Amino acid sequence: MTKYLSTSNTKHWLVKIKLLFAIIFMVAFSVSCDTEDDINSIFVGNTWYVNGFTINGKSAGGDEIKTLYADANAFSIYFSSSNSFNGMLSAGCTISGNWVANGKNQTIAFSFKNPSCPDSSPIGNTVFNILKNAGKYSGDVNIIEIKIDNKNLIRLTRSRNP
């Protein structure tokens, strides 16, 4: 026995079908849109300050955080438009070199000139090693994470305030 749809049921189904097509279109459009970070606005001409780090999945705490803020200029890095950088680890130990980042896949790499001093502090060595071995970054113009992986990273902010 065949049932025919009434006019009101047909309109109801047509609305549902249109809604379904609209949802499919929006999902397909959002998936197909490529998002790419604006590397210049995030990095170039900005000084970033290390405000935390994670090593083997364990976040810095207490005394480690105090060390990051003990010297107003320590644990900072400045990115120039010529893809060079300079920064300071602990106690005036400076670093410099070149950097390259890709905003599409959020990769970053650093090549270092020799630090001006061997940094004997554990935190300075931690920051240096993460930068040296970094492969990815995430974030925006306010906060970024430079990562070896999700368990080993440094967090940077544009403000020195804790």
Side-chain angles (χ1 to χ4, degrees):
M1 184 173 203
T2 305
K3 288 190 172 182
Y4 293 97
L5 295 173
S6 69
T7 305
S8 65
N9 278 344
T10 303
K11 287 180 184 176
H12 177 74
W13 282 105
L14 286 174
V15 168
K16 284 187 174 186
I17 290 171
K18 287 179 183 180
L19 181 61
L20 179 63
F21 278 119
I23 291 170
I24 290 171
F25 177 77
M26 287 188 296
V27 168
F29 181 77
S30 67
V31 169
S32 69
C33 287
D34 290 331
T35 57
E36 186 169 337
D37 287 348
D38 182 353
I39 296 300
N40 287 333
S41 68
I42 294 174
F43 293 99
V44 174
N46 295 314
T47 299
W48 289 90
Y49 300 93
V50 178
N51 79 340
F53 56 88
T54 301
I55 302 299
N56 297 322
K58 184 178 182 255
S59 293
D63 291 338
E64 295 167 319
I65 297 297
K66 286 179 188 175
T67 299
L68 293 174
Y69 292 98
D71 181 340
N73 296 314
F75 301 106
S76 64
I77 186 168
Y78 174 81
F79 295 89
S80 78
S81 61
S82 62
N83 283 70
S84 63
F85 71 89
N86 60 61
M88 184 181 293
L89 298 176
S90 61
C93 180
T94 61
I95 55 173
S96 63
N98 294 308
W99 66 281
V100 61
N102 181 315
K104 187 168 185 141
N105 58 14
Q106 295 186 318
T107 58
I108 193 164
F110 297 87
S111 60
F112 287 85
K113 297 176 185 174
N114 290 335
S116 67
C117 60
D119 194 333
S120 60
S121 76
I123 295 174
N125 285 327
T126 295
V127 171
F128 180 77
N129 286 326
I130 289 175
L131 290 172
K132 183 174 71 172
N133 296 300
K136 298 287 259 177
Y137 78 89
S138 63
D140 55 32
V141 298
N142 298 310
I143 186 168
I144 57 176
E145 290 181 340
I146 296 180
K147 307 173 182 185
I148 296 173
D149 54 37
N150 287 333
K151 292 185 176 187
N152 297 283
L153 57 95
I154 55 174
R155 282 177 291 287
L156 302 119
T157 59
R158 299 261 304 269
S159 169
R160 189 63 178 152
N161 298 326

